[in-house]
Amino acid sequence: MQKELSLRVVSIDPGFNNLGVSFSNLNYHSGLMVVNDVNTYQIQKLTSRVDGSIIQDATNGLINVETVKALIGRLLDTYKPDVVICESSYMGKFPQAFVSLSLCLHAIESAVYNYDTDVGYYTFDPATIKNANGVKGGSRDKEDMRKAIIANPSIVSTKDFNLLDEHSIDSIGIGYCYFRKTFY
């Protein structure tokens, strides 16, 4: 008997400004990553949904953390993933961006842990994600990832990848990185 193995995956391009999230099924029998849903969330527009007392008494950093935790919690309840994958923070020329991304990753991991301690949570650095998608690790051209995803016959979706912003595209690439690392 040959039983198909598939995983439900939420992959996230983290950020407190724009957070890209995709939900996919990774089918290890067919070798296909089926993107079921993808969206970019503008975190600042969602802060009004956070508990009012926090908004009045907290810093923007804490408000952002609570907003991301709440958003990811709702998405996990909706998609019921087996695995959550994120791009890790990278310490480059901008230490403040590293700190912000680290806080965002903490919020995501906390939401995953609160949702289900058995759900896998993994991160990959940006160069590894790019390489797994056939893009040079040092590339700064955001269109390289889009071109790679469009050209990849293993990634299918009813969504038109040309209409997605860079954060949604990156979230798909992050999910495919996990697929490549666990499939091949």
Side-chain angles (χ1 to χ4, degrees), residues 8-119:
R8 298 166 62 88
V9 174
V10 168
S11 48
I12 304 169
D13 180 32
F16 281 143
N17 291 325
N18 297 296
L19 187 129
V21 179
S22 59
F23 169 63
S24 307
N25 281 338
L26 308 182
N27 187 311
Y28 290 87
H29 183 74
S30 68
L32 292 178
M33 175 180 171
V34 180
V35 179
N36 298 307
D37 196 18
V38 60
N39 203 341
T40 296
Y41 298 91
Q42 295 176 336
I43 300 305
Q44 301 311 310
K45 289 185 178 179
L46 300 176
T47 58
S48 63
R49 295 184 184 175
V50 176
D51 177 21
S53 63
I54 291 175
I55 290 175
Q56 292 172 352
D57 301 330
T59 64
N60 285 340
L62 181 58
I63 293 168
N64 289 340
V65 165
E66 292 302 314
T67 302
V68 168
K69 278 175 50 178
L71 169 65
I72 297 301
R74 286 191 304 274
L75 293 174
L76 296 175
D77 285 338
T78 299
Y79 297 134
K80 301 186 182 353
D82 301 303
V83 178
V84 176
I85 315 299
C86 289
E87 182 178 74
S88 63
S89 50
Y90 172 74
M91 179 69 156
K93 296 178 182 178
F94 305 102
Q96 188 61 33
F98 173 78
V99 170
S100 180
L101 279 176
S102 295
L103 286 171
C104 188
L105 286 170
H106 171 74
I108 294 166
E109 186 174 10
S110 294
V112 172
Y113 183 82
N114 290 338
Y115 168 71
D116 186 341
T117 58
D118 289 332
V119 169

